[in-house]
Amino acid sequence: MTKRGLIKILLNSIFVFSFYGCAVISGYEDSLNSFDSNLESKNCDYTQIEENIKDDDDPILWGIQGGSLARNCFAYKKSNDFFDQAEEKYKLTVDKDSILNNTLESSKSILINNNANEYEGNTYEKVMVNTYKALNYASLNDNVNARIEFNRALDRQRRAKDYFKSEIQKKEKNLQKVNKEAENTVYKQYDGLLNDFKAYPDFINPFTTYMAGVYFLLEGDSVKARDLLKESMEMQPSNGQIKSDYELSNKYLASSLKDSKEKYAWIIYENGKGMIKDEIRIDIPLFIFSRNVIYTGMALPKIVERNSSYTYLNINGKDTTEVCNMDNVIKTEFKKRFPAILSEAIANTITKTITQKQLNDSSPLAGFLGVLYQALTNKADIRSWSALPKNFQSLRVKLDGKPIEIKNNEGKIIKEVFIPNDKNALIYVKSQSIGNNIIHKILF
């Protein structure tokens, strides 16, 4: 290879790094860890998040993360402003992705890595955006918009299966044929991760369906509440809390819970930290791709569990019951997306390894540059909505005029909540870790 050719390769590499930013080399681990620290410490400084969105630097990712931070800070309007920006970007880019855009995205994933592409989120994230927006509006006493957002969340769930199928098909059209030997090598390491859980049906998030049912019951729409709680019960027929709420909705089918003398409070508990992505490096035998290469390997995302907070909450001697395992929602979608993720990663490795071989055949120095480029850009995309919980739990208690004492699983009071005698209530508790408690109170 000529000196001119070597300079061209070097300049192209510099262009890639400068144009797409250092994230194609370093990834997003530091920025995500920094956000998680701010979230847990309730640092309500949105400056960096707002700058990222303004600069069009992953506006979907930082819109949903910012929405969670603002919600933790009880800034419900600010939270919905962030969620709105993320949702608008979903509509403008992700939902209307063209064949050309998908081809360009796949090309960048193959030639560089997926960190060069804008974050597009997951289906479960879109559903949760509308769910949180509904809860924020309820906290703002805007029940018209709360109702609209719950309906949007439910509609997203109904359309999720068809949309997801179409999204994956568009991506797969732009990928090369999968190298089966490489695929088998990877799946051996992912077997437990992809198969050791109970998947939810058709990309449904049971929490959204259940939460909407409880909300409509509190709002006085017993018919809609009954239908949603029935749907929840059919998904989890042995769940005593869901069954009890369904029976209550039947009791008020011809009337309204709001007009009843009996008053209730639902305690909804967001427990712990949900699954996030981490990187795994897999060494692929060189003979699978090509001989006469110095380095080859594959970087893939894997999902990892994080810690729970209190195992449950206790109110009036009763424990909260899990109504949705968010980790399983995340696992279900990751498993469905993984074949496309793996195909892209294999295509990336094949392209760079063959290029490395060709460069090495021409010149040892050119081969070294190829090795350097492949090593530097061998980076998995680990972006995800890290503010989601590990699971959602629920408990309904009948009000007796006394303060509600919310206790942890060791029987220690973490909060006393006062509810007026003529009101029903939704008490929403988020605890990422023991001692870190955020409590929202909504009266009906």
Side-chain angles (χ1 to χ4, degrees), residues 235-246:
M235 278 190 277
Q236 302 182 70
S238 61
N239 191 300
Q241 182 59 52
I242 296 174
K243 183 179 180 181
S244 176
D245 291 332
Y246 170 70

Side-chain angles (χ1 to χ4, degrees), residues 185-386:
T185 299
V186 171
Y187 269 108
K188 285 178 184 177
Q189 298 198 36
Y190 273 78
D191 182 60
L193 181 64
L194 297 175
N195 297 301
D196 65 347
F197 69 102
K198 181 181 179 181
Y200 287 120
D202 297 343
F203 305 101
I204 295 296
N205 180 343
F207 174 69
T208 292
T209 307
Y210 172 76
M211 188 69 256
V214 170
Y215 172 80
F216 285 117
L217 183 56
L218 283 162
E219 259 299 285
D221 191 342
S222 301
V223 174
K224 191 173 183 69
R226 187 272 312 268
D227 292 344
L228 289 167
L229 290 168
K230 181 181 180 182
E231 189 178 332
S232 294
M233 193 173 65
E234 287 171 349
M235 278 190 277
Q236 302 182 70
S238 61
N239 191 300
Q241 182 59 52
I242 296 174
K243 183 179 180 181
S244 176
D245 291 332
Y246 170 70
E247 290 170 349
L248 187 70
S249 69
N250 273 324
K251 178 179 176 180
Y252 289 101
L253 205 55
S255 58
S256 169
L257 181 64
K258 295 181 80 171
D259 299 329
S260 172
K261 291 182 180 179
E262 295 181 331
K263 298 300 176 184
Y264 296 91
W266 273 262
I267 293 82
I268 304 297
Y269 172 39
E270 276 198 23
N271 172 27
K273 301 175 183 179
M275 298 191 84
I276 56 171
K277 292 177 183 174
D278 197 0
E279 181 177 273
I280 182 173
R281 296 288 183 104
I282 298 177
D283 294 324
I284 304 295
L286 297 182
F287 68 83
I288 288 180
F289 294 135
S290 176
R291 299 183 187 278
N292 195 26
V293 296
I294 302 170
Y295 164 87
T296 194
M298 190 182 302
L300 284 163
K302 64 175 181 176
I303 45 176
V304 294
E305 288 195 33
R306 293 189 292 172
N307 293 334
S308 172
S309 181
Y310 311 112
T311 310
Y312 56 82
L313 299 179
N314 181 279
I315 298 92
N316 295 347
K318 295 181 179 179
D319 300 334
T320 52
T321 298
E322 184 180 293
V323 293
C324 171
N325 187 310
M326 194 65 204
D327 278 355
N328 282 356
V329 172
I330 295 169
K331 282 182 181 180
T332 298
E333 185 161 338
F334 183 81
K335 182 175 181 178
K336 291 290 184 181
R337 288 184 183 273
F338 189 69
I341 293 171
L342 177 57
S343 297
E344 223 165 50
I346 291 175
N348 176 292
T349 304
I350 289 173
T351 301
K352 291 176 182 176
T353 303
I354 290 176
T355 301
Q356 182 195 145
K357 178 186 182 303
Q358 292 172 340
L359 290 170
N360 199 47
D361 288 344
S362 301
S363 158
L365 179 57
F368 172 74
L369 290 175
V371 171
L372 183 63
Y373 178 82
Q374 184 172 358
L376 287 174
T377 58
N378 186 26
K379 197 72 182 173
D381 181 4
I382 62 167
R383 290 170 289 180
S384 67
W385 191 355
S386 60

Side-chain angles (χ1 to χ4, degrees), residues 54-287:
K54 183 180 178 181
D55 295 341
D56 207 30
D57 179 8
D58 276 336
I60 289 176
L61 176 66
W62 296 114
I64 57 181
Q65 298 277 55
S68 290
L69 178 60
R71 179 169 166 77
N72 269 18
C73 297
F74 305 101
Y76 302 116
K77 187 178 183 304
K78 182 78 173 175
S79 176
N80 275 357
D81 287 344
F82 279 128
F83 286 138
D84 282 341
Q85 290 178 81
E87 192 171 21
E88 186 62 26
K89 195 68 176 180
Y90 279 135
K91 293 174 183 176
L92 291 175
T93 57
V94 184
D95 293 349
K96 294 182 179 179
D97 253 358
S98 64
I99 294 174
L100 176 60
N101 283 342
N102 277 283
T103 302
L104 289 172
E105 288 169 0
S106 293
S107 296
K108 284 189 280 186
S109 291
I110 291 168
L111 296 175
I112 310 168
N113 59 50
N114 199 47
N115 291 301
N117 289 316
E118 189 173 292
Y119 183 71
E120 294 188 347
N122 297 283
T123 303
Y124 66 81
E125 293 175 348
K126 298 174 190 177
V127 172
M128 283 305 302
V129 162
N130 294 111
T131 304
Y132 281 130
K133 282 174 69 178
L135 290 166
N136 284 340
Y137 278 124
S139 291
L140 293 166
N141 297 313
D142 185 348
N143 292 315
V144 172
N145 277 312
R147 187 183 185 97
I148 289 170
E149 291 301 332
F150 271 124
N151 284 332
R152 283 177 176 166
L154 294 166
D155 186 54
R156 274 197 184 275
Q157 289 204 139
R158 294 187 186 101
R159 293 185 287 114
K161 184 178 180 181
D162 291 338
Y163 171 79
F164 183 83
K165 183 179 179 181
S166 171
E167 181 187 17
I168 293 299
Q169 284 177 342
K170 282 191 288 186
K171 282 190 176 290
E172 287 181 339
K173 281 181 182 178
N174 301 309
L175 297 174
Q176 301 175 19
K177 273 190 173 182
V178 172
N179 183 306
K180 285 296 178 184
E181 288 180 272
E183 184 184 70
N184 292 337
T185 299
V186 171
Y187 269 108
K188 285 178 184 177
Q189 298 198 36
Y190 273 78
D191 182 60
L193 181 64
L194 297 175
N195 297 301
D196 65 347
F197 69 102
K198 181 181 179 181
Y200 287 120
D202 297 343
F203 305 101
I204 295 296
N205 180 343
F207 174 69
T208 292
T209 307
Y210 172 76
M211 188 69 256
V214 170
Y215 172 80
F216 285 117
L217 183 56
L218 283 162
E219 259 299 285
D221 191 342
S222 301
V223 174
K224 191 173 183 69
R226 187 272 312 268
D227 292 344
L228 289 167
L229 290 168
K230 181 181 180 182
E231 189 178 332
S232 294
M233 193 173 65
E234 287 171 349
M235 278 190 277
Q236 302 182 70
S238 61
N239 191 300
Q241 182 59 52
I242 296 174
K243 183 179 180 181
S244 176
D245 291 332
Y246 170 70
E247 290 170 349
L248 187 70
S249 69
N250 273 324
K251 178 179 176 180
Y252 289 101
L253 205 55
S255 58
S256 169
L257 181 64
K258 295 181 80 171
D259 299 329
S260 172
K261 291 182 180 179
E262 295 181 331
K263 298 300 176 184
Y264 296 91
W266 273 262
I267 293 82
I268 304 297
Y269 172 39
E270 276 198 23
N271 172 27
K273 301 175 183 179
M275 298 191 84
I276 56 171
K277 292 177 183 174
D278 197 0
E279 181 177 273
I280 182 173
R281 296 288 183 104
I282 298 177
D283 294 324
I284 304 295
L286 297 182
F287 68 83

